[in-house]
Amino acid sequence: MKLEKFDLKQKFGVIDIIIFISLAAVLFLIISPNIGKTINPSGIEVSTKLSNLPRYALLSVGRMAGAYILSLIFTLVYGYIASHNKRAEAIMIPILDILQSIPVLSFLPAVVLGLIAIFPNSNIGIELACIILIFTSQAWNMTFSFYNSTKIIPRDLKEAAYTFQLNKWRQFKTLELPFSIMGLVWNSMMSWAGGWFFLMACEMFTLKGKDFRLPGLGSYLQTASNEGNGKALFWGIVTLVLVIVILDQLIWRPVIAWSDKFKVELTESDDAPHSFILTIMRRSVIVNTITEKIFTPFIRNINEKIDKFADKIEKNKKGKVNKTINISKWCIRILFIGLLIYSSYGAIKLVLSISSHDISRILPAVAHSFFRVAVAQIIALAWTVPVGVAIGMNKKIANLLQPIIQIIASIPATALFPVVLGFFINAFGGLNIASIALMLMGTQWYILFNVVAGAMVIPEDLKSAAKIYGLKGWKKWKVLILPSIFPYLLTGMITATGGCWNASIVSEYVTFGRKTVSTTGLGALISEATEKGDFPLLIVSTIVMCIVVVGVNKTLWKRLYSLSEERFKIEL
């Protein structure tokens, strides 16, 4: 693939127009049954009593876990299809660009109103909505990571899989998934941290003037912040940090140590990451017995059934099964087109009802938000690359700093924002600058975690060769480090850009101490439209944000992805 293929003529096309119309149509289709109707709030009070913190923490961790499981399933299915089907890739990657740029609050009305309609007399709808909203803050960077990893698998390994005639399932489990594990693990950690960042917005929010809330750590922190209760806010953050430390020791450190065995290298590292918990589990007689007697046979049985099913599909590629599948595909397409036409008409009608005053606010809002996103990205890039490389290439530093950055990245910046905002209002001029700080606090970790993952997968063979040839300083960065981490850095930059736009909804429109402070920006428009139930402004603002992000992706990131595939693959 040549870089020249990605020219400026590909900025926007029919596919993009269809995607944007579909987006507006889907939003309209979900919210239309509830437009004009009175919404009943959940009726749940969130108490700031310290005795509630353990229960709230467990509830929040449960919602985060549910959202992460959905994210992981979505990542593997969506990323696999996009990386193996060229026709699907042309549609699915632009859709992923759009999805990762849609703020959580833009999903909020559609998800909440739809689930309330399904569960009108229960809080089940709100619970499911919270999990789905957290999912929207976790899934996209994991999917980008898995997709990018499968695209840069060394040619030698692909040829070996072809030589051994591995079916698609065997190729997935023996090559593609293991090769992508390192990036997937670090992006999973980032997704979990991102879930904490938006937890406050997901567990407690205002829609059409009505308050919705669920008992949890996020709603506890937001309630304490709104009440100006410093004591409750302090202990809430302490509880959050404690939960993060426990999860880091019980889950993430063992997973990082386990994932090190998937590095592609000929020379084994002498300083591999280790985990005390993982060592105990490996030495435990009970764990080994359960693994050998229950877990391993179960996995083997499932694996054999999937193998047989995959082989059957391979054999029946030209048989009747294909004809049945084709008929089903055409039925689904006809149904989708009919639904799209109906909902597009309603969406266009709703969008056309937007006032001229709101339209005049959009372009200035785009300009202000774009400037803040660019500044936040430049600042993040300046420090995360050197720090990430230092962590990824030095296991001692990684063991020391990894839990620290995991804790810092997971603390919701919105919980600390009243303090930050107070400082900037007194010193630098208010929310215009403070919003950049909040964007930075929430999204710089996407770049850092991906750079760490990229530095960790650099083979020991190349490190040894660099040492033998005496590569130091800038020459080492130019020849070894930057080419090796480039694909991961690119993934981090793309997801961080989407994260910055996402963070604009909470950084440009801030409520604390029962006061609302806002500034000019697209995120502020979306937050305002969500709170007031102004659906025309919400849909238009969301689509404009998507157009801006996709435009940048097509003119910049897509070219760099091509360069990454062509020049920065580690071949054996």
Side-chain angles (χ1 to χ4, degrees):
M1 187 183 293
K2 293 183 179 179
L3 184 61
E4 287 77 10
K5 287 186 179 179
F6 295 94
D7 54 28
L8 292 176
K9 293 180 182 179
Q10 288 186 317
K11 281 184 181 178
F12 288 100
V14 177
I15 291 175
D16 298 292
I17 295 172
I18 292 174
I19 290 172
F20 287 126
I21 292 175
S22 301
L23 172 65
V26 169
L27 288 173
F28 170 79
L29 190 64
I30 297 176
I31 67 177
S32 58
N34 292 279
I35 293 177
K37 291 185 178 181
T38 302
I39 303 175
N40 294 320
S42 61
I44 294 176
E45 291 296 328
V46 177
S47 171
T48 54
K49 290 182 179 179
L50 299 184
S51 58
N52 290 325
L53 279 172
R55 183 171 67 91
Y56 285 179
L58 287 174
L59 289 171
S60 293
V61 170
R63 295 182 189 115
M64 294 272 288
Y68 176 76
I69 292 171
L70 288 178
S71 300
L72 187 59
I73 294 171
F74 177 88
T75 292
L76 298 179
V77 174
Y78 197 98
Y80 181 87
I81 295 173
S83 62
H84 286 78
N85 189 318
K86 289 293 181 183
R87 289 183 179 179
E89 182 182 24
I91 299 175
M92 294 176 74
I93 296 305
I95 289 176
L96 195 62
D97 287 340
I98 292 170
L99 288 174
Q100 65 107 16
S101 64
I102 297 177
V104 168
L105 288 188
S106 294
F107 285 109
L108 189 146
V111 174
V112 173
L113 294 177
L115 288 171
I116 284 178
I118 298 173
F119 303 99
N121 301 314
S122 171
N123 284 324
I124 294 176
I126 306 297
E127 285 284 359
L128 293 176
C130 181
I131 292 173
I132 293 173
L133 291 171
I134 296 172
F135 160 84
T136 64
S137 69
Q138 292 182 339
W140 320 131
N141 62 297
M142 291 170 59
T143 307
F144 267 117
S145 174
F146 179 70
Y147 164 78
N148 189 44
S149 295
T150 56
K151 300 292 283 187
I152 61 172
I153 293 175
R155 189 179 298 109
D156 316 68
L157 296 180
K158 290 183 177 179
E159 290 175 354
Y162 178 79
T163 301
F164 285 106
Q165 298 182 339
L166 300 180
N167 62 31
K168 291 183 178 180
W169 166 248
R170 293 191 182 96
Q171 186 173 327
F172 170 78
K173 70 179 182 181
T174 59
L175 174 59
E176 292 161 349
L177 185 58
F179 188 84
S180 65
I181 281 292
M182 191 72 73
L184 196 55
V185 166
W186 280 89
N187 273 280
S188 292
M189 293 169 61
M190 182 61 248
S191 291
W192 196 271
W196 286 123
F197 183 85
F198 287 105
L199 190 67
M200 290 172 66
C202 295
E203 289 187 344
M204 185 173 174
F205 52 86
T206 301
L207 180 59
K208 293 185 72 174
K210 302 291 184 179
D211 287 329
F212 292 87
R213 59 192 69 194
L214 290 170
L217 205 48
S219 57
Y220 180 94
L221 289 170
Q222 186 164 332
T223 301
S225 177
N226 291 340
E227 293 177 354
N229 189 336
K231 180 181 177 182
L233 187 62
F234 171 78
W235 285 110
I237 293 175
V238 168
T239 303
L240 176 60
V241 171
L242 183 62
V243 170
I244 294 167
V245 171
I246 292 173
L247 292 175
D248 176 74
Q249 293 297 319
L250 294 181
I251 297 176
W252 297 120
R253 274 186 175 249
V255 170
I256 289 173
W258 167 79
S259 67
D260 189 67
K261 67 180 181 180
F262 296 105
K263 288 179 64 175
V264 179
E265 59 187 6
L266 299 176
T267 304
E268 188 176 353
S269 172
D270 295 327
D271 192 19
H274 64 277
S275 165
F276 176 72
I277 298 296
L278 184 61
T279 302
I280 291 176
M281 290 175 65
R282 284 172 173 170
R283 294 177 180 177
S284 170
V285 176
I286 296 176
V287 171
N288 287 330
T289 302
I290 293 174
T291 302
E292 292 176 5
K293 301 295 184 182
I294 300 176
F295 186 72
T296 302
F298 176 76
I299 294 297
R300 188 187 300 117
N301 186 35
I302 295 295
N303 184 50
E304 289 175 356
K305 289 182 179 180
I306 296 176
D307 274 339
K308 290 179 181 178
F309 181 71
D311 289 334
K312 187 177 180 180
I313 291 177
E314 291 287 335
K315 291 177 182 178
N316 292 318
K317 270 186 176 180
K318 297 181 180 179
K320 294 182 179 179
V321 176
N322 247 9
K323 294 180 181 179
T324 305
I325 292 174
N326 286 334
I327 294 173
S328 301
K329 284 181 179 178
W330 276 108
C331 291
I332 293 172
R333 286 171 183 170
I334 293 171
L335 180 64
F336 173 76
I337 291 171
L339 196 60
L340 181 62
I341 293 172
Y342 163 76
S343 52
S344 297
Y345 172 76
I348 293 171
K349 188 177 178 181
L350 185 62
V351 167
L352 290 177
S353 66
I354 189 172
S355 67
S356 57
H357 171 68
D358 286 337
I359 292 176
S360 66
R361 299 166 64 193
I362 290 177
L363 282 181
V366 171
H368 281 79
S369 293
F370 190 90
F371 173 76
R372 295 187 189 104
V373 169
V375 171
Q377 289 288 81
I378 292 171
I379 296 173
L381 197 62
W383 80 267
T384 54
V385 173
V387 172
V389 169
I391 293 173
M393 296 188 70
N394 189 314
K395 300 296 170 57
K396 291 182 179 178
I397 296 178
N399 290 332
L400 176 65
L401 293 184
Q402 180 264 318
I404 296 176
I405 62 174
Q406 175 73 10
I407 291 171
I408 298 175
S410 300
I411 296 176
T414 44
L416 304 175
F417 203 51
V419 179
V420 176
L421 183 58
F423 171 76
F424 277 99
I425 284 179
N426 295 328
F428 295 105
L431 195 57
N432 281 317
I433 304 300
S435 58
I436 297 176
L438 185 58
M439 285 183 182
L440 190 64
M441 292 164 68
T443 62
Q444 58 195 345
W445 313 111
Y446 289 103
I447 303 176
L448 179 63
F449 280 48
N450 275 281
V451 171
V452 171
M456 290 186 75
V457 300
I458 298 176
E460 291 297 322
D461 319 69
L462 296 183
K463 293 179 183 178
S464 300
K467 187 179 294 185
I468 292 172
Y469 285 103
L471 296 181
K472 294 180 179 180
W474 169 243
K475 195 169 184 179
K476 183 177 180 181
W477 275 82
K478 181 181 178 182
V479 174
L480 174 65
I481 298 174
L482 288 178
S484 298
I485 69 170
F486 185 79
Y488 297 86
L489 175 61
L490 183 57
T491 300
M493 288 293 293
I494 292 173
T495 52
T497 302
C500 272
W501 285 101
N502 233 314
S504 68
I505 63 173
V506 291
S507 65
E508 295 176 348
Y509 192 90
V510 182
T511 300
F512 66 96
R514 293 186 174 84
K515 294 182 180 179
T516 298
V517 180
S518 64
T519 186
T520 303
L522 207 49
L525 281 184
I526 291 173
S527 296
E528 178 188 327
T530 301
E531 187 169 324
K532 294 180 179 179
D534 189 345
F535 296 120
L537 179 60
L538 176 64
I539 292 177
V540 172
S541 301
T542 300
I543 292 176
V544 168
M545 182 178 286
C546 293
I547 290 174
V548 172
V549 175
V550 172
V552 172
N553 286 354
K554 284 194 172 283
T555 55
L556 176 63
W557 302 127
K558 195 170 185 180
R559 289 171 171 266
L560 293 178
Y561 254 128
S562 174
L563 183 65
S564 170
E565 251 185 89
E566 182 71 19
R567 295 188 55 189
F568 299 113
K569 290 170 71 172
I570 298 177
E571 303 287 4
L572 300 177

